[in-house]
Amino acid sequence: MDNIKYYIASFLAGLVAKMYDDIHDNDKLKYFKTDFVLELLKGLHYIFFTIISINEPMYYIINYIANVLNSISNKEAWEKSYEYSLLFSFLVLFFFIDYKKINYKNFIEYLKIGFNICIGLLLEPIFIKDEFSVTKLISRSIFLLHCIYSVFPLNQDSYSNQITYYCIGYFLVSVIVQIYSLYIHKEEPTEEPTEGPTETNTKEEPKEETKEEPTEEPTEETKETKTKEETKEETKTKEETKTKEEKQPQQ
């Protein structure tokens, strides 16, 4: 029964790993996305994963190989600085794990579960691209049920159960998030515009400015014609006044 605490730590490690992944990437969980929550989940995952890896080397080796394969087929998930750095930082554990703790009697069991995990993490991103979908919900539900079935009856001598409990925690969160994203989460209603005059209606329409046509400046020819006409009119008026004076009778 000493291994129970490691089973619990394995379950919690998978739980917090998937919680961080979904909160970070799923827009429907943006209310939980705070710096404190994300850093807390990262720290817990470091602690749980390291404790289990030192106790059971195959747990660490299988998980590391599976994640490297996943980074090949799911490059978008590993392009961020934190996720990508894990592929290098966790290499340090290779120098500290106790390889004598590997139970070679269960080596076939290690190969079976390791093969299933590696193939699943390698192939699933190729066929399932969406962050949440019905197909992904069905896939994760099948993985979860398979993992739960494989740990019963509980074999205390089987170290691979620690890997399985990690997967149970991981897929349990995944299934819950898929159900929440597909069927429970509701988008916030957008505010409909109230009836009434809009801004464009309330604004006064700009008055059309009447453009005054520019007056043409008189040329020299027009000036000459005007002066001739004026002199003609002056001579005409003088002649008229002269004839009037002559017509008046002398007193």
Side-chain angles (χ1 to χ4, degrees):
M1 297 298 290
D2 293 336
N3 287 329
I4 292 296
K5 60 182 178 181
Y6 292 107
Y7 295 151
I8 295 173
S10 300
F11 174 77
L12 293 175
L15 202 77
V16 297
K18 188 55 182 169
M19 285 175 66
Y20 172 85
D21 183 49
D22 282 339
I23 291 174
H24 190 275
D25 297 334
N26 193 335
D27 291 336
K28 294 184 181 294
L29 303 177
K30 61 184 178 181
Y31 297 108
F32 304 99
K33 190 176 180 180
T34 64
D35 292 337
F36 172 76
V37 172
L38 293 177
E39 295 302 320
L40 176 65
L41 294 173
K42 282 196 290 186
L44 289 173
H45 182 257
Y46 278 134
I47 293 169
F48 289 133
F49 190 87
T50 304
I51 290 171
I52 305 157
S53 298
I54 293 173
N55 179 69
E56 174 45 48
M58 288 304 297
Y59 168 90
Y60 163 69
I61 294 170
I62 291 172
N63 267 288
Y64 185 80
I65 294 172
N67 281 287
V68 170
L69 292 174
N70 182 255
S71 68
I72 296 172
S73 61
N74 191 14
K75 292 182 179 180
E76 291 181 359
W78 292 86
E79 65 183 1
K80 301 178 184 65
S81 301
Y82 166 68
E83 285 81 357
Y84 186 63
S85 68
L86 295 179
L87 299 176
F88 302 94
S89 61
F90 273 107
L91 285 171
V92 177
L93 279 174
F94 273 109
F95 300 100
F96 292 95
I97 58 178
D98 186 1
Y99 294 97
K100 293 179 181 179
K101 289 185 177 181
I102 298 176
N103 187 351
Y104 292 99
K105 293 180 181 179
N106 294 331
F107 196 74
I108 300 299
E109 187 179 355
Y110 291 142
L111 289 178
K112 283 168 60 179
I113 192 167
F115 178 80
N116 291 333
I117 293 173
C118 291
I119 292 298
L121 289 176
L122 177 64
L123 296 181
E124 189 190 53
I126 298 174
F127 298 101
I128 302 175
K129 301 290 186 181
D130 298 327
E131 185 65 31
F132 52 89
S133 64
V134 177
T135 305
K136 194 168 187 177
L137 173 61
I138 295 171
S139 172
R140 295 299 170 88
S141 299
I142 292 172
F143 287 147
L144 177 62
L145 293 174
H146 174 73
C147 291
I148 293 173
Y149 174 77
S150 65
V151 297
F152 294 103
L154 184 63
N155 183 5
Q156 296 296 332
D157 295 329
S158 175
Y159 289 104
S160 64
N161 278 332
Q162 295 181 25
I163 303 171
T164 308
Y165 272 96
Y166 181 92
C167 294
I168 290 174
Y170 186 93
F171 291 128
L172 178 62
V173 173
S174 181
V175 169
I176 293 172
V177 171
Q178 291 295 313
I179 293 172
Y180 174 79
S181 300
L182 291 169
Y183 305 110
I184 298 175
H185 181 270
K186 294 180 180 179
E187 297 290 342
E188 294 180 356
T190 55
E191 295 181 359
E192 296 181 356
T194 56
E195 294 181 357
T198 58
E199 291 183 359
T200 55
N201 291 333
T202 54
K203 290 180 180 179
E204 293 182 357
E205 295 182 356
K207 295 180 180 180
E208 294 183 358
E209 295 180 356
T210 55
K211 295 181 180 179
E212 295 181 355
E213 295 181 356
T215 55
E216 294 181 356
E217 293 183 357
T219 60
E220 292 181 357
E221 292 180 356
T222 53
K223 286 179 179 178
E224 288 179 358
T225 52
K226 283 183 178 180
T227 52
K228 287 179 180 180
E229 288 177 357
E230 288 176 356
T231 52
K232 285 180 181 180
E233 286 179 359
E234 287 178 358
T235 53
K236 191 177 180 181
T237 51
K238 286 178 179 180
E239 288 176 355
E240 286 177 356
T241 52
K242 191 176 181 181
T243 52
K244 284 180 182 179
E245 288 175 356
E246 289 176 351
K247 288 180 182 180
Q248 289 179 356
Q250 295 180 356
Q251 291 181 353

